[in-house]
Amino acid sequence: QMDAGDRRSVIEAPDDGAGGAALPDLRPLLASIRAAYPVIELRDGGVATRYVERLADYFASKECPLDGRRLGMLRRAFLSLVAVHMALGTPPPNLAALLSLFRHGLDCTLPFAAAGRPVGRMVIDGAHEFASASARGHARTLPPGDVLAAARLLVSEDDGTQDPDRTALLVTRIFQEADHPRTFETATRTGAALLTLACSPKFMRRLGPDTRFRLLAGYRDLLDLESSVVGNFHSQAESVALDTDIDPALREAVLRIAFVLATRLERLRITHPEFDDVAIRLLQNYRREEAA
């Protein structure tokens, strides 16, 4: 967008670093950070340790292990980030703000992308939620491998017994498995779990705003097929033999989710599921849990 004169000025500019501007003297700030670090270590070190330990558990459950050296680096980085804020006069005022800083630090310190095996943001968010619950003194077990059984349990619980952290973790787990289904059975149970949550008005009313938004946004994304595949979807959907007594809206949701999951399973090159098989099995799983 430059004109010719400005572009030439940039091309011919000397490589003298600062271009004549005085560089700021960072030594006083760095000295303040170093002085703040022992105070932060004493005050927040225990919280950081619990948070990092639970991060390790969560990432290990996702087959993304972190070794002890990396975990030590994470802890020091989180505490250093707090020390920076302390030196700048903006210390986190409470535990929620402290954990928010740790979440920011996660984006800068995880090694997976550099190792050529990046993990998705939903996995990182799930790890943070799991570790934060422990740091707040509410230790949680990892979401069960059977997301459908977990979804059924959540929907059946009374209003006063629902654990927001456990619910948020389950929603994260459902979309992780929907994004990368491993087998035919896990794909169909994941789709049924999503329907179990999304089709329960009572459960949806109990959800916190953030988790409800994530659940509905992910559900909408699965139903909203790309224009390039809509024609193929409709031509195949007409021949799927689902029960005739099924509600039309539910039938459409089952078919669309099954179509997406079948497409993702095909990319594994391990199994070649038929669209109608995925749809029929998904509905069977959903209705079995619904009846139970």
Side-chain angles (χ1 to χ4, degrees), residues 162-184:
Q162 183 171 310
D163 181 342
D165 295 309
R166 182 162 59 100
T167 303
L169 283 169
L170 177 61
V171 171
T172 298
R173 186 70 167 267
I174 286 173
F175 287 119
Q176 288 168 354
E177 296 202 7
D179 286 343
H180 303 285
R182 294 164 291 161
T183 66
F184 173 87

Side-chain angles (χ1 to χ4, degrees), residues 100-291:
S100 180
L101 272 184
F102 289 179
R103 174 63 185 86
H104 176 65
L106 267 181
D107 286 333
C108 310
T109 52
L110 291 175
F112 304 120
R117 48 189 180 93
V119 299
R121 176 164 293 276
M122 292 186 72
V123 175
I124 299 174
D125 286 342
H128 170 70
E129 291 165 359
F130 181 73
S132 295
S134 179
R136 289 193 293 267
H138 305 294
R140 302 287 177 258
T141 57
L142 288 166
D146 188 345
V147 292
L148 180 53
R152 176 195 167 197
L153 180 62
L154 276 179
V155 168
S156 67
E157 287 179 348
D158 296 330
D159 289 359
T161 59
Q162 183 171 310
D163 181 342
D165 295 309
R166 182 162 59 100
T167 303
L169 283 169
L170 177 61
V171 171
T172 298
R173 186 70 167 267
I174 286 173
F175 287 119
Q176 288 168 354
E177 296 202 7
D179 286 343
H180 303 285
R182 294 164 291 161
T183 66
F184 173 87
E185 188 60 24
T186 59
T188 56
R189 292 186 72 81
T190 297
L194 178 57
L195 284 173
T196 298
L197 299 185
C199 295
S200 172
K202 180 181 177 181
F203 171 78
M204 295 298 293
R205 285 193 296 269
R206 297 199 310 253
L207 283 180
D210 291 344
T211 304
R212 184 188 302 117
F213 175 80
R214 282 203 299 130
L215 178 60
L216 291 177
Y219 183 62
R220 178 202 61 202
D221 289 345
L222 281 173
L223 299 184
D224 189 16
L225 301 177
E226 296 181 6
S227 57
S228 59
V229 302
V230 168
N232 185 30
F233 164 73
H234 283 298
S235 65
Q236 294 187 53
E238 292 176 355
S239 61
V240 177
L242 294 182
D243 296 341
T244 56
D245 63 339
I246 186 174
D247 178 84
L250 177 59
R251 183 182 192 277
E252 184 73 10
V254 168
L255 289 172
R256 286 173 176 262
I257 293 172
F259 182 81
V260 172
L261 292 176
T263 301
R264 292 174 179 173
L265 282 169
E266 287 179 0
R267 294 172 185 164
L268 291 176
R269 299 181 181 179
I270 299 173
T271 181
H272 300 283
E274 297 294 336
F275 168 36
D276 55 347
D277 290 337
V278 176
I280 292 170
R281 184 62 176 163
L282 194 161
L283 181 61
Q284 287 174 344
N285 283 330
Y286 171 69
R287 284 193 156 174
R288 185 175 296 120
E289 299 300 329
E290 184 184 44

Side-chain angles (χ1 to χ4, degrees), residues 1-85:
Q1 296 176 347
M2 295 179 182
D3 61 34
D6 287 340
R7 184 172 62 183
R8 175 166 290 185
S9 295
V10 173
I11 292 171
E12 296 180 345
D15 186 14
D16 59 358
L23 293 173
D25 185 359
L26 297 178
R27 287 173 294 182
L29 175 61
L30 293 175
S32 298
I33 295 169
R34 291 192 185 99
Y37 188 91
V39 178
I40 299 302
E41 167 73 49
L42 184 63
R43 189 190 71 183
D44 299 326
V47 176
T49 296
R50 289 195 299 276
Y51 181 87
V52 170
E53 286 175 336
R54 298 291 80 78
L55 284 180
D57 293 339
Y58 192 93
F59 282 120
S61 76
K62 301 297 180 185
E63 299 182 359
C64 303
L66 294 168
D67 61 29
R69 179 173 176 271
R70 172 62 58 172
L71 295 174
M73 292 170 63
L74 288 171
R75 182 181 182 276
R76 292 192 298 275
F78 297 154
L79 294 176
S80 297
L81 185 58
V82 181
V84 170
H85 281 259

